[in-house]
Amino acid sequence: MGIINERFMLKNDTALALYEAVKDLPIIDYHCHLSPEMIARDHRFKNATELFLGGDHYKWRQLRTNGVDEAFITGDADDYAKFEAFAKTVPMLIGNPIYHWTHLELKRYFDVDEPLTADNAKKVYDICNEKLASPEFSAQNLIKRSNVEVICTTDDPADSLEHHAALKDFSTKVLPTFRPDKATDIGKDTFIPYIESIGVKSYDELAAWIVSRIAFFDAMGCRLSDHAMEYIPYAIGDASAVFEKKMNGGVLTQTEIDVFKTALLAVCAKEYTRLGWTMQLHIGAMRNNNKKMFEKLGPDTGFDSINDLSIAEPLSRFLDHLEYADALPKTILYTLNPKDNYVLGAMLGNFQKAPSAGRIQFGSGWWFNDQRDGMVEQMKALASLGMISRFVGMLTDSRSFVSYPRHEYFRRIMCNLIGTWVEDGEYPRDMKTLEKIVSGIAYYNAKSYFNF
């Protein structure tokens, strides 16, 4: 038998009782990287390798760490050989969340209730492939059986959103998220080609284009934006002059880059505030560290890691700049570096105000932190410095259609944390209040916060 049982991650009776109150609640996946096109055309997976390993750079990193040749990861090796290489790697992942995620996925979708190993790889592969041959395992049906109420994908402002339009009658809401990084990242080589592709000639035209695309996304049901920020920019100056210098081939200073970013992000934030959107700031990734592999495979292939820049002062000044102009929307702050848990946990309280409960949120453990210790430390910091009962909870941040058991993983860990506080005598065993708190974190807070 496998490790996924009734008491998995639940270490006491209060935790077990709290999990009973949340386990069947719907999922609101308010940030992910699922392909809207794959959902719209109800993609059928050719085999277990595509489903479990396709595009999953979390797993690719571990395969490399285990000495697996790249041919069996992103290369042209046989699909079963790739799955077998993964099966050989899984038993080595003690303490890694991928071990738990893999077995949650196998049990919840395929009724496989035994540890995946090299010895049973072929049997498990065949079981999965047999079920994947059924229409019940299409992309849309995997979403339905996962009890997903809302999915928010991640989309470029120039996107037509045609696939979202095609999904208007799907039982799960599939909504776009506004991700304008290509328009704001003026320091990158991709900036000029992007600006030329959208046909704007000046900073004012770019700002007007951004406003028009926000309006279009809003009409398509968008309720969130997302910004990937290696660091927090803050500088005041002439963004139009910076734009002209860049487009004319000039080399920008760091201050000029920050002037442009601050100005354009403020344009975005003003519109988000007017429309009642939520702004997500994902802070602290250091991307594409391996130049050789980036040139070979491109971005998002498993060569990113955690940055360690100081963020407190520029973040405070940036948020204050928006707040002073009445342009600070509901905001979720995520950190990839857990050293900043208390920085963000404390920052929230500077900008809270009615009528929103938890107007500024500390986002859930993200990427390298969406494992047990990372999630627990994020929640402990939030509880210690703010109000965990108003937390909007978990998201998958995933490209995988079988990643939804990560919500179960989070709910179990969250209920165990709160249950342990109760069992340790730090909070009364008032089950009515406790169940309200955990069900809020699992589902209801997000539903209210995002106006779903």
Side-chain angles (χ1 to χ4, degrees):
M1 295 293 289
I3 62 168
I4 309 302
N5 54 57
E6 182 184 51
R7 299 195 72 102
F8 176 62
M9 290 291 182
L10 302 170
K11 309 301 182 184
N12 56 67
D13 290 341
T14 303
L16 188 64
L18 292 176
Y19 181 66
E20 285 296 314
V22 304
K23 68 176 185 177
D24 295 324
L25 289 174
I27 288 171
I28 293 177
D29 196 24
Y30 58 88
H31 175 68
C32 75
H33 297 276
L34 289 181
S35 164
E37 181 180 1
M38 290 177 71
I39 303 173
R41 59 184 171 85
D42 202 15
H43 181 77
R44 298 286 297 277
F45 298 89
K46 66 177 181 178
N47 56 39
T49 300
E50 182 190 7
L51 181 67
F52 287 107
L53 299 176
D56 194 335
H57 55 81
Y58 284 72
K59 292 171 181 171
W60 295 352
R61 284 174 68 95
Q62 301 311 318
L63 287 163
R64 293 175 186 129
T65 302
N66 203 37
V68 175
D69 188 272
E70 195 68 27
F72 297 89
I73 304 170
T74 61
D76 58 2
D78 172 77
D79 281 350
Y80 174 67
K82 290 182 177 180
F83 186 84
E84 185 179 38
F86 179 61
K88 291 177 179 177
T89 297
V90 168
M92 308 304 292
L93 293 175
I94 185 169
N96 190 294
I98 293 173
Y99 189 85
H100 291 152
W101 296 346
T102 297
H103 293 103
L104 279 165
E105 292 162 6
L106 286 170
K107 183 162 185 177
R108 297 297 177 237
Y109 294 106
F110 299 98
D111 299 316
V112 172
D113 194 20
E114 58 184 284
L116 178 63
T117 67
D119 292 338
N120 66 2
K122 186 64 165 64
K123 180 179 78 170
V124 171
Y125 190 71
D126 289 344
I127 290 171
C128 293
N129 287 347
E130 182 179 356
K131 294 193 174 185
L132 286 171
S134 165
E136 291 303 306
F137 283 77
S138 68
Q140 290 186 15
N141 283 318
L142 285 169
I143 290 168
K144 289 178 184 177
R145 70 185 294 163
S146 302
N147 196 22
V148 184
E149 186 174 290
V150 181
I151 291 172
C152 296
T153 59
T154 303
D155 309 279
D156 186 86
D159 198 297
S160 69
L161 304 186
E162 60 188 280
H163 303 301
H164 296 83
L167 287 162
K168 61 181 174 57
D169 296 324
F170 182 39
S171 57
T172 298
K173 288 183 181 179
V174 181
L175 305 177
T177 294
F178 191 75
R179 177 81 169 252
D181 295 346
K182 291 180 181 178
T184 59
D185 283 341
I186 196 168
K188 294 190 175 179
D189 293 340
T190 53
F191 180 79
I192 291 178
Y194 184 77
I195 295 302
E196 291 175 343
S197 75
I198 61 176
V200 303
K201 304 297 185 182
S202 68
Y203 172 77
D204 288 342
E205 285 187 15
L206 176 58
W209 181 81
I210 286 286
V211 170
S212 72
R213 298 309 294 173
I214 291 172
F216 172 65
F217 270 60
D218 187 70
M220 294 296 291
C222 180
R223 294 294 174 266
L224 296 95
S225 71
D226 183 43
H227 302 264
M229 310 185 82
E230 296 173 4
Y231 66 97
I232 303 299
Y234 181 76
I236 303 301
D238 187 348
S240 181
V242 175
F243 180 90
E244 291 298 323
K245 181 177 178 180
K246 176 70 175 183
M247 298 304 292
N248 289 323
V251 178
L252 302 183
T253 66
Q254 187 62 54
T255 298
E256 288 173 326
I257 290 170
D258 291 349
V259 163
F260 178 85
K261 286 186 173 183
T262 302
L264 197 57
L265 287 168
V267 169
C268 293
K270 181 179 179 180
E271 290 302 298
Y272 305 157
T273 302
R274 184 177 67 83
L275 295 169
W277 285 15
T278 296
M279 178 172 69
Q280 298 177 96
L281 304 181
H282 282 89
I283 304 166
M286 187 163 60
R287 300 176 187 274
N288 306 319
N289 295 274
N290 188 325
K291 182 180 179 181
K292 183 176 182 178
M293 294 305 290
F294 174 72
E295 291 175 349
K296 180 179 180 180
L297 300 176
D300 304 319
T301 50
F303 300 96
D304 306 326
S305 58
I306 297 170
N307 214 327
D308 63 353
L309 299 175
S310 297
I311 67 170
E313 182 177 356
L315 176 61
S316 174
R317 295 178 71 188
F318 176 66
L319 296 178
D320 186 56
H321 175 69
L322 298 180
E323 177 71 354
Y324 195 78
D326 294 321
L328 180 61
K330 290 183 289 186
T331 300
I332 306 178
L333 304 174
Y334 304 83
T335 178
L336 199 57
N337 195 325
K339 77 175 177 61
D340 293 320
N341 281 356
Y342 272 66
V343 171
L344 297 193
M347 189 69 68
L348 311 178
N350 297 332
F351 301 100
Q352 304 288 17
K353 71 177 182 182
S356 296
R359 175 199 187 204
I360 312 298
Q361 290 273 329
F362 182 10
S364 62
W366 163 50
W367 200 344
F368 294 104
N369 298 314
D370 62 359
Q371 26 75 13
R372 180 187 57 198
D373 292 347
M375 290 189 286
V376 166
E377 291 306 311
Q378 180 269 340
M379 286 188 281
K380 286 167 65 177
L382 175 56
S384 296
L385 301 172
M387 190 177 293
I388 195 173
S389 59
R390 293 297 187 182
F391 178 32
V392 294
M394 184 58 174
L395 52 114
T396 61
D397 189 30
S398 175
R399 293 167 173 79
S400 170
F401 283 85
V402 288
S403 64
Y404 288 106
R406 295 184 196 179
H407 282 262
E408 174 185 344
Y409 194 55
F410 167 80
R411 290 174 180 182
R412 288 176 176 273
I413 290 166
M414 180 265 293
C415 288
N416 187 70
L417 176 64
I418 293 176
T420 299
W421 289 337
V422 173
E423 296 270 338
D424 288 348
E426 298 175 19
Y427 190 93
R429 201 173 192 276
D430 173 2
M431 295 305 293
K432 182 178 179 180
T433 301
L434 288 164
E435 288 177 5
K436 182 178 180 180
I437 290 171
V438 296
S439 62
I441 296 169
Y443 170 71
Y444 291 104
N445 292 347
K447 189 176 180 70
S448 172
Y449 184 81
F450 300 117
N451 299 320
F452 291 148

